Amino acid sequence: MSRFDAAIQANAHPWHLVRPCDTCKVRDLSACAPLDAAEQRRLVAIMRTVDAAPRQSIFDEGEPAENVYNVTEGAVKLYKLLPDGRRQITGFLLPGDFLGLTHNEVYAYSAEALAPTRLCCFSRRKLEGLLEELPKLEQRLLGMASHELAAAHDQMLLLGRKSARERVASFILMLSDAAARHGQRANPVFLPMGRSDIADYLGLTTETVSRTLTRLKTQGLVELGGEKHIRLLKLEALAEIAGGF
Amino acid sequence: MSRFDAAIQANAHPWHLVRPCDTCKVRDLSACAPLDAAEQRRLVAIMRTVDAAPRQSIFDEGEPAENVYNVTEGAVKLYKLLPDGRRQITGFLLPGDFLGLTHNEVYAYSAEALAPTRLCCFSRRKLEGLLEELPKLEQRLLGMASHELAAAHDQMLLLGRKSARERVASFILMLSDAAARHGQRANPVFLPMGRSDIADYLGLTTETVSRTLTRLKTQGLVELGGEKHIRLLKLEALAEIAGGF
DNA sequence: CGGTCCTTTGACACAGGTCAAGTAATGTGG
DNA sequence: CCACATTACTTGACCTGTGTCAAAGGACCG
């Protein structure tokens, strides 16, 4: 069995790199043609599979940026730290998402697995070499980068100008949408991360996140099933809150 | 005189697209070869020059994303609005920067000139066509996008976790660095934007920006020469504040 | 069960927002 | 070039949303 087939067998194929994603509509950029079999083979040749347990670090900010990763299964958080320990989570990644892409010598953020995670790992040097020859691949990367940039702009609006209530509502809806795109249950939303990760993503404290969620519950907008599941009761109202109306 | 030469004559050539920038070290990505003359000619053929006066809108959020722009001279601000008018400025652009690049049908933010500005305007459709044939160009765009992404992450850390004092210090230093990269005076820094733009960029109010600046002045860290010039007196101390020490 | 960790809840403090006034810069028409 | 209007910036007094500190549940696990 070739390396290529083995990779597919192991369900660790970098699908999202080689073709538009079936379930994640956002990334289904019609302009991007999928790679053909030969091209995929070349890509898989420079790839290896990496697994990470929850809480395991994938890489740290400031470390030499030797690899680029593509999430295949699981969930990852990206974050930056200030010297005194204050933390900002800059993103939660799901299957199909990319991390480590940079034109710097070192990583600009740290990455850590949230759940049992499987990643496709590429040597950055080799991948950059391959990019020269596979423009389709570069197109996909550019498409992904510009989507991430748009998401980053939304997050700046959230962090700079939204109230705690609006941030939490936005967050719940965002998770629900992401779940739907990944073919998972969208309504009782599953929160794979703890309160302090949510807080560090939204620029709040755990206490404020907790209080805000209980207030949304009290007001009949959501229902909390355990700590990690939220049922959205009034989608319309939540969307209005999230949008800042 | 050819269109190509005319464009150079008029100092409206998209230099930053075709080759690493001389002054802006950040963008001098060794991996990116400059375009040759024939390639540049093709690029210039689908380009036109656009001028914008201060406060003039270049495009608005939600508008069909028909063009992509490259700033040649001047300065531009990008921003997003909430329905009630709250505003978040997501970036200030200087010569060499890009705007309008998206894989969406519509612009994700509004763009407005801060100063008299000259831009290179490309039809997005045509540029995307050209990208298929000029992989070097796509490489440059990918490099720029990944730099912007890193800047966006820094800004998220600032907005989510830094105090007003730290935000203002970071901002001044950022402007000073940008000026230096563009071959302009770095120490009495020139602020091309007003207080309310600064506030909307830092997620603060004009009052807080103003108070914070006077406090930095009182403490002997900066000197305010008029409203639009700031002399950095204790760079080291400012850098420590900005970094969150 | 008895720890450990995470979440929730409460009481209180404070950074930064809001409202309001005053002052300086900029522009405009005569 | 000056009066005047307008806009931008600063400063002050006060208020509030969110952070801080502390403690009390809950969930999970050996």
Side-chain angles (χ1 to χ4, degrees):
Chain A
M1 195 162 67
S2 76
R3 175 79 197 276
F4 179 53
D5 297 326
I8 291 176
Q9 193 85 11
N11 189 24
H13 190 284
W15 286 118
H16 305 281
L17 258 185
V18 306
R19 64 167 197 196
C21 170
D22 293 332
T23 48
C24 320
K25 297 288 181 273
V26 166
R27 297 188 187 79
D28 190 353
L29 312 165
S30 54
C32 292
L35 267 58
D36 65 33
E39 290 167 331
Q40 289 186 37
R41 208 173 298 265
R42 298 192 58 185
L43 186 60
V44 172
I46 63 162
M47 179 205 106
R48 67 194 167 87
T49 301
V50 171
D51 287 313
R55 293 164 170 280
Q56 187 180 334
S57 164
I58 297 164
F59 54 74
D60 278 324
E61 182 174 355
E63 216 171 83
E66 281 161 10
N67 297 307
V68 173
Y69 301 85
N70 189 18
V71 180
T72 303
E73 286 172 55
V76 170
K77 67 182 177 208
L78 307 182
Y79 61 92
K80 293 174 77 89
L81 292 171
L82 287 172
D84 63 359
R86 277 173 287 172
R87 186 176 66 146
Q88 179 66 38
I89 292 184
T90 56
F92 294 111
L93 305 188
L94 293 173
D97 289 321
F98 239 84
L99 57 159
L101 202 58
T102 170
H103 278 251
N104 252 325
E105 289 308 305
V106 297
Y107 293 116
Y109 46 78
S110 306
E112 190 180 305
L114 265 178
T117 297
R118 174 160 287 180
L119 305 122
C120 295
C121 172
F122 303 88
S123 144
R124 209 178 118 216
R125 201 176 43 73
K126 287 183 191 165
L127 185 64
E128 278 169 4
L130 203 55
L131 283 183
E132 308 259 330
E133 299 163 47
L134 302 182
K136 280 187 215 164
L137 189 53
E138 191 145 48
Q139 268 176 42
R140 289 204 57 67
L141 288 183
L142 183 56
M144 284 172 162
S146 73
H147 259 104
E148 274 182 62
L149 209 46
H153 286 162
D154 286 340
Q155 192 66 0
M156 285 190 233
L157 178 62
L158 180 145
L159 292 170
R161 289 299 181 218
K162 288 188 182 175
S163 69
R165 188 177 166 73
E166 290 163 347
R167 295 182 200 203
V168 171
S170 304
F171 179 69
I172 299 172
L173 291 175
M174 200 200 68
L175 273 191
S176 176
D177 287 353
R181 276 203 308 281
H182 284 267
Q184 284 157 1
R185 182 180 304 214
N187 198 334
V189 200
F190 172 63
L191 286 71
M193 68 293 285
R195 295 288 185 268
S196 81
D197 282 347
I198 299 175
D200 284 346
Y201 181 64
L202 299 178
L204 301 170
T205 58
T206 56
E207 293 93 328
T208 300
V209 171
S210 185
R211 276 190 256 272
T212 307
L213 280 173
T214 24
R215 199 159 127 247
L216 289 176
K217 184 183 72 180
T218 310
Q219 297 171 338
L221 297 172
V222 303
E223 203 173 276
L224 307 180
E227 285 160 1
K228 295 214 161 343
H229 289 272
I230 300 184
R231 183 184 299 276
L232 316 178
L233 297 176
K234 299 189 181 171
L235 258 177
E236 195 59 36
L238 284 169
E240 280 199 357
I241 295 170
F245 287 93
Chain B
M1 195 161 66
S2 75
R3 174 79 197 276
F4 180 53
D5 298 327
I8 291 175
Q9 193 85 12
N11 188 25
H13 191 282
W15 285 118
H16 305 281
L17 259 187
V18 305
R19 63 170 197 191
C21 170
D22 293 333
T23 48
C24 320
K25 298 289 181 266
V26 166
R27 296 187 188 79
D28 190 353
L29 313 166
S30 55
C32 292
L35 267 57
D36 65 32
E39 290 168 331
Q40 289 185 38
R41 206 174 298 263
R42 298 192 57 186
L43 186 60
V44 172
I46 64 162
M47 179 206 104
R48 66 197 168 84
T49 301
V50 172
D51 286 313
R55 294 163 169 281
Q56 187 181 333
S57 163
I58 297 163
F59 55 75
D60 278 324
E61 182 175 354
E63 218 170 82
E66 280 162 9
N67 298 308
V68 172
Y69 301 85
N70 187 19
V71 180
T72 304
E73 285 173 55
V76 170
K77 66 181 176 209
L78 307 183
Y79 60 92
K80 291 173 79 87
L81 293 171
L82 287 172
D84 63 358
R86 278 173 287 172
R87 186 176 66 146
Q88 179 65 38
I89 292 184
T90 55
F92 295 111
L93 305 188
L94 293 172
D97 289 321
F98 241 83
L99 58 159
L101 202 58
T102 170
H103 279 250
N104 252 325
E105 289 308 304
V106 298
Y107 293 116
Y109 46 77
S110 306
E112 190 181 304
L114 265 177
T117 297
R118 174 159 289 179
L119 306 123
C120 295
C121 171
F122 303 89
S123 144
R124 210 178 118 215
R125 202 176 43 74
K126 288 183 191 165
L127 185 63
E128 279 170 3
L130 203 54
L131 283 184
E132 309 260 330
E133 299 164 49
L134 301 182
K136 280 186 213 163
L137 190 53
E138 191 146 49
Q139 268 175 42
R140 287 205 58 66
L141 289 182
L142 183 55
M144 284 172 162
S146 73
H147 258 104
E148 274 182 63
L149 209 45
H153 286 162
D154 285 341
Q155 193 66 359
M156 286 190 231
L157 178 62
L158 180 147
L159 292 170
R161 290 298 180 216
K162 288 189 182 175
S163 70
R165 190 178 166 72
E166 291 164 346
R167 294 182 201 203
V168 171
S170 303
F171 180 70
I172 299 171
L173 291 176
M174 199 201 68
L175 273 191
S176 176
D177 288 351
R181 276 202 309 280
H182 284 268
Q184 284 159 1
R185 181 179 306 212
N187 196 333
V189 201
F190 173 63
L191 287 69
M193 69 293 286
R195 294 288 185 269
S196 80
D197 281 347
I198 299 174
D200 284 346
Y201 181 64
L202 299 178
L204 301 170
T205 58
T206 55
E207 293 94 327
T208 300
V209 171
S210 186
R211 274 190 255 271
T212 307
L213 280 172
T214 22
R215 199 157 127 249
L216 289 176
K217 184 183 72 180
T218 310
Q219 297 171 337
L221 297 172
V222 303
E223 204 172 276
L224 307 179
E227 286 161 1
K228 296 214 160 342
H229 290 272
I230 299 184
R231 183 183 300 274
L232 314 178
L233 298 176
K234 299 188 181 171
L235 257 178
E236 195 59 35
L238 284 169
E240 280 199 357
I241 295 170
F245 288 94

